Amino acid sequence: SILITSAYPGEGKSTVAACFARAVADQGLRVAIIDADLRRPQIAKIFGLGDKPGLSDLLLRQASLQDVLHAEKGATLCVIPSGSKKSAPANLLAGDGLSSLFAKLSEHFDLIVVDTPPVLVVSDALLVCRHVDSTAMIVRWNDTGREDVLKGVRQLREVGANIRGIILNVVKMRDYAGYSYSKPNAYMRAYSRYYRS
């Protein structure tokens, strides 16, 4: 299981989580993606689920696991959206319901991807990270400050998160190529040719 978070909003964490989940499912693995961002959920919108029941309804025992697991047609991917909006989302995530949910999902899925709110804005990611195997932080390239990234990493480490990496997002490849140690223009040409074909 892997938790996806960021330092601040607008870094693309939900899009990365959704793309990652779908890419792994396309390889034939069984994947569940959970929208644990109960404040500004995006996963239901990305997957076109509308107002289907989800995580908050499950944690409040207003829906069963089968009610909130929404399978993608023709895919090995299931989506658990955030569910109906509730007050005090941190209290919901701090309860015992997540442990039970992850235990049940791990019996049926090869990978669980969890989208959470930004770590420097609210404490939700810090509550959820203790239930997952690893954590990845999305960083908007050339936008999020180094100190903010380090502060987010420190907060996650303080609660025992197993940080497996930082993912640079919204990278301007032409500028990025300038950081190459050898032949940046050749790198850029090769990259462009590869992704144009």
Side-chain angles (χ1 to χ4, degrees), residues 39-77:
R39 299 165 193 271
R40 296 186 66 189
Q42 295 295 316
I43 297 298
K45 188 186 300 181
I46 292 170
F47 287 98
L49 291 176
D51 295 328
K52 302 265 182 163
L55 181 61
S56 61
D57 307 294
L58 180 68
L59 294 177
L60 287 167
R61 298 193 173 117
Q62 295 172 348
S64 70
L65 181 55
Q66 292 308 312
D67 294 332
V68 303
L69 266 175
H70 306 286
E72 282 261 281
K73 286 183 181 174
T76 56
L77 176 65

Side-chain angles (χ1 to χ4, degrees), residues 9-174:
E11 301 198 62
K13 64 177 182 57
S14 300
T15 302
V16 170
C19 290
F20 175 60
R22 182 164 273 158
V24 174
D26 285 347
Q27 301 304 310
L29 296 177
R30 295 164 302 165
V31 181
I33 180 168
I34 304 170
D35 194 344
D37 190 341
L38 305 181
R39 299 165 193 271
R40 296 186 66 189
Q42 295 295 316
I43 297 298
K45 188 186 300 181
I46 292 170
F47 287 98
L49 291 176
D51 295 328
K52 302 265 182 163
L55 181 61
S56 61
D57 307 294
L58 180 68
L59 294 177
L60 287 167
R61 298 193 173 117
Q62 295 172 348
S64 70
L65 181 55
Q66 292 308 312
D67 294 332
V68 303
L69 266 175
H70 306 286
E72 282 261 281
K73 286 183 181 174
T76 56
L77 176 65
C78 284
V79 181
I80 299 180
S82 66
S84 51
K85 286 234 178 183
K86 304 292 180 188
S87 58
N91 292 344
L92 267 183
L93 297 171
D96 297 329
L98 280 182
S99 293
S100 171
L101 172 61
F102 279 93
K104 288 176 185 170
L105 290 176
S106 64
E107 295 173 7
H108 303 286
F109 292 94
D110 301 305
L111 176 68
I112 303 164
V113 179
V114 188
D115 180 30
T116 66
V119 70
L120 294 185
V121 178
V122 290
S123 64
D124 301 14
L126 305 178
L127 297 168
V128 179
C129 70
R130 61 192 168 115
H131 299 286
V132 298
D133 300 317
S134 56
T135 297
M137 194 165 166
I138 308 301
V139 175
R140 190 177 175 106
W141 185 74
N142 209 27
D143 187 60
T144 310
R146 182 187 302 263
E147 286 305 312
D148 293 328
V149 175
L150 291 172
K151 185 176 178 185
V153 168
R154 273 196 303 271
Q155 286 189 13
L156 288 162
R157 282 190 175 148
E158 282 170 5
V159 295
N162 178 20
I163 301 172
R164 297 306 295 262
I166 303 286
I167 300 169
L168 290 179
N169 198 24
V170 197
V171 177
K172 293 181 181 172
M173 291 308 299
R174 190 169 300 283

